[in-house]
Amino acid sequence: MARPEEVQIDQHAIDELVTTLRGEVIRPGDRGYEQHRRVWNGSIDRRPALIARCAGVADTKSAIAFARTHNLLVAVRGGGHSFPGYSTCDGGMVIDLSLMKGIRVDPAARTARVQAGVLLGELDRATQAFGLAVTTGIVTHTGVAGLTLGGGLGWIMRKYGLTIDNLLSVDMVTASGESLRASETHNADLFWGVRGGGGNFGIVTEFEFRLHALGPEVFAGPIFWPMEDAAKVLRFYRDWIADCPDELMTIVVQRRAPALPFVPAELVGRHVIGVAACYAGPVEDGARAMRPLKSFGQPLLDLCGPKPYLVHQSMFDAGFPHGWRYYVRSCDVAELNDDVIDIVAEHGRRIVSPITSVALWQRGGAVARIGENETAFGGRSAGFTFNINGNGETADGFEAERDWARGYWSGLVPYHTGAYVNFLMDEGAERIRETYGAAKYDRLKTLKRTYDPENFFRLNHNIPPA
Ligand SMILES: Cc1cc2nc3c(=O)[nH]c(=O)nc-3n(C[C@H](O)[C@H](O)[C@H](O)COP(=O)(O)OP(=O)(O)OC[C@H]3O[C@@H](n4cnc5c(N)ncnc54)[C@H](O)[C@@H]3O)c2cc1C
């Protein structure tokens, strides 16, 4: 890949782009270049030749046209949280949408129109102002755009579906510069594809979501036990959630207890297993639903109780700041059988880094009631999704953390049923095909041939044109 200093772009053309854009153009050496070339994952260190910070649809069209004319590799950035760092590149152009922050909530219609640079926390704040919410993810500084286009798992998905299950329409600019709307009634084939197919078909400039009444208080939070009790806790947990209501969503967490204000000093660094929960319904019902788990064994720490939904949504933020080194391995499994539980318990005990963590997502509920072929998203019927994060604050020890994550994931291979595309690293075409399944992958390739036949948008979990 060309280094930025090797990429020759005519200065007049750049000057023209600068005057055309309402946003800004940043080049190597400009103030802000170091800040804007970086993405959330500190293990990604790339130097684009040009960063086009678009302020709207017109800017996005101009940036696409410029990249085509100058034959530049394009990286598209919403919130910058792609695990493998697809939203930056060496020597190409970043089309950065982070200035596009518009959110319009229509409380009467219970919908929201959301521009491509909005982060999850910004969307949650805007919708909660009206007592409403749409499924978003569990770390507030993640981008709405990338999360939505891959599917969108979150605390209220078992009740209200994935983020894409609440998507009503998207406004897009395609590789040829055409503006399109996709919804159930306009370009329905494309609408099928953007609900799980990622950024393969064009740049989404605006999303329209359906909203639901929620909060402002929910019954939510984590309960922790010693990691030595992991197998016992997980066996109890497995049976307890087997017939739990859709309102209840849980994530099993494994890590060493972090040094955060709500963690007693004597626990910091100790290996713990936790179950974090969120009840998307009346607080009293949530309290009742959580009672059995709260009284299981001897928890080290119980932080599960009534709290504002917005507070719960930001619970994991401190564990995933910008700039640390992150590596993830992910897979879906059908069930927590005894073997899987033993693998979880064994690898949990071996965590070394204080910032390495595992999130084991409960699935089912509304997510599983939508047909596998109704959207491009793969693996609706998965029982659980593993997100195994081997992380390091610096390069020191990071390779060992990655090895640990790979070892954990490999141990689960006999039980893999698929994976969530947004939790993949750069793992090759076959893994991407596996996340969709062969038939859907072929349908996505045909769609790609229609909307992006030259594979202009290829820095992503790529679906090559058929
Ligand atoms: C800390 C953290 C927490 C996470 N938590 C969750 C979670 O709770 N639930 C969940 O489902 N996922 C979660 N994820 C995964 C997340 O969904 C993906 O990393 C997602 O790609 C992030 O989107 P982004 O806009 O921030 O990323 P970016 O890096 O900006 O974008 C990722 C990719 O999406 C595409 N893209 C972005 N914007 C556009 C656009 N406007 N039009 C077309 N294509 C676009 C591009 O291909 C880009 O490479 C998490 C990730 C992180 C790092």
Side-chain angles (χ1 to χ4, degrees):
M1 187 65 65
R3 303 294 295 177
E5 52 276 17
E6 294 162 8
V7 175
Q8 299 297 325
I9 310 172
D10 176 48
Q11 188 57 44
H12 292 298
I14 294 174
D15 292 344
E16 204 175 296
L17 182 68
V18 170
T19 26
T20 312
L21 290 201
R22 184 153 63 90
E24 55 178 338
V25 175
I26 300 179
R27 301 209 65 202
D30 288 350
R31 203 156 59 88
Y33 179 77
E34 282 307 310
Q35 177 195 346
H36 293 293
R37 77 180 180 87
R38 292 190 185 280
V39 286
W40 165 82
N41 188 345
S43 73
I44 310 293
D45 181 18
R46 298 191 186 127
R47 303 182 61 80
L50 206 68
I51 302 168
R53 305 198 68 222
C54 298
V57 179
D59 283 5
T60 309
K61 287 184 149 197
S62 301
I64 290 175
F66 186 91
R68 285 189 80 90
T69 305
H70 298 278
N71 203 18
L72 292 173
L73 177 68
V74 161
V76 179
R77 184 178 310 165
H81 277 46
S82 153
F83 281 104
Y86 287 142
S87 41
T88 187
C89 59
D90 275 331
M93 180 179 194
V94 175
I95 300 185
D96 177 354
L97 308 164
S98 62
L99 293 174
M100 294 169 61
K101 291 287 191 193
I103 306 176
R104 186 172 188 287
V105 177
D106 180 338
R110 292 196 170 179
T111 58
R113 297 197 69 88
V114 182
Q115 284 191 320
V118 170
L119 305 180
L120 304 186
E122 294 162 346
L123 175 57
D124 286 336
R125 272 199 296 278
T127 54
Q128 278 288 278
F130 298 95
L132 299 169
V134 61
T135 306
T136 60
I138 63 172
V139 173
T140 64
H141 46 74
T142 312
V144 169
L147 175 128
T148 302
L149 294 169
L153 313 182
W155 285 116
I156 59 174
M157 69 177 175
R158 285 173 38 82
K159 176 71 177 165
Y160 296 119
L162 300 169
T163 310
I164 49 166
D165 300 334
N166 297 288
L167 188 60
L168 298 172
S169 69
V170 291
D171 290 346
M172 288 182 71
V173 183
T174 64
S176 63
E178 193 186 352
S179 291
L180 288 178
R181 172 156 298 178
S183 68
E184 292 287 2
T185 50
H186 290 82
N187 300 303
D189 58 340
L190 180 61
F191 191 54
W192 176 87
V194 296
R195 285 175 293 165
N200 272 285
F201 307 107
I203 297 185
V204 173
T205 50
E206 193 162 306
F207 299 83
E208 184 187 11
F209 295 109
R210 182 190 306 116
L211 306 175
H212 307 275
L214 187 84
E217 287 233 309
V218 289
F219 199 88
I223 307 167
F224 292 100
W225 295 264
M227 191 78 84
E228 304 87 88
D229 294 350
K232 271 192 285 181
V233 171
L234 287 173
R235 286 198 183 91
F236 176 84
Y237 164 79
R238 168 185 67 190
D239 298 341
W240 170 68
I241 58 161
D243 54 4
C244 75
D246 289 354
E247 282 78 5
L248 186 63
M249 165 69 201
T250 57
I251 298 178
V252 174
V253 179
Q254 291 179 286
R255 59 168 305 145
R256 298 176 65 185
L260 291 175
F262 52 80
V263 178
E266 66 276 13
L267 277 190
V268 172
R270 181 153 177 194
H271 288 74
V272 291
I273 185 154
V275 177
C278 179
Y279 192 90
V283 167
E284 320 74 74
D285 294 359
R288 200 170 315 115
M290 287 303 296
R291 211 168 285 145
L293 188 70
K294 278 173 153 297
S295 40
F296 176 76
Q298 273 136 16
L300 294 169
L301 185 62
D302 182 350
L303 299 169
C304 187
K307 61 191 62 159
Y309 177 65
L310 287 179
V311 169
H312 180 64
Q313 280 288 79
S314 59
M315 173 183 66
F316 287 131
D317 284 8
F320 298 92
H322 291 75
W324 285 355
R325 284 157 197 263
Y326 299 97
Y327 178 79
V328 69
R329 294 313 305 256
S330 177
C331 59
D332 294 343
V333 298
E335 56 174 5
L336 295 184
N337 62 32
D338 287 347
D339 277 358
V340 171
I341 286 178
D342 289 345
I343 293 165
V344 172
E346 183 206 330
H347 288 276
R349 280 193 291 273
R350 295 210 259 119
I351 291 174
V352 174
S353 164
I355 63 164
T356 275
S357 65
V358 178
L360 170 56
W361 293 66
Q362 180 190 3
R363 297 278 299 272
V367 177
R369 280 195 294 275
I370 291 181
E372 180 69 27
N373 293 323
E374 282 185 46
T375 63
F377 179 85
R380 291 246 174 213
S381 58
F384 297 87
T385 297
F386 277 91
N387 182 306
I388 305 164
N389 261 269
N391 307 332
E393 283 187 47
T394 63
D396 232 13
F398 183 48
E399 190 48 42
E401 294 305 311
R402 285 193 285 191
D403 278 347
W404 168 87
R406 289 185 202 110
Y408 194 145
W409 180 88
S410 300
L412 291 165
V413 163
Y415 305 100
H416 288 189
T417 57
Y420 171 36
V421 71
N422 271 353
F423 289 166
L424 293 183
M425 294 299 289
D426 193 349
E427 300 176 36
E430 189 47 36
R431 277 283 280 163
I432 295 168
R433 188 170 176 271
E434 276 171 29
T435 68
Y436 296 109
K440 275 208 300 217
Y441 185 67
D442 287 347
R443 183 170 168 190
L444 285 164
K445 284 175 68 171
T446 306
L447 202 59
K448 177 82 169 175
R449 187 178 59 201
T450 306
Y451 290 99
D452 183 16
E454 292 160 21
N455 208 0
F456 178 77
F457 297 111
R458 62 182 178 278
L459 264 187
N460 46 34
H461 295 297
N462 195 235
I463 297 161

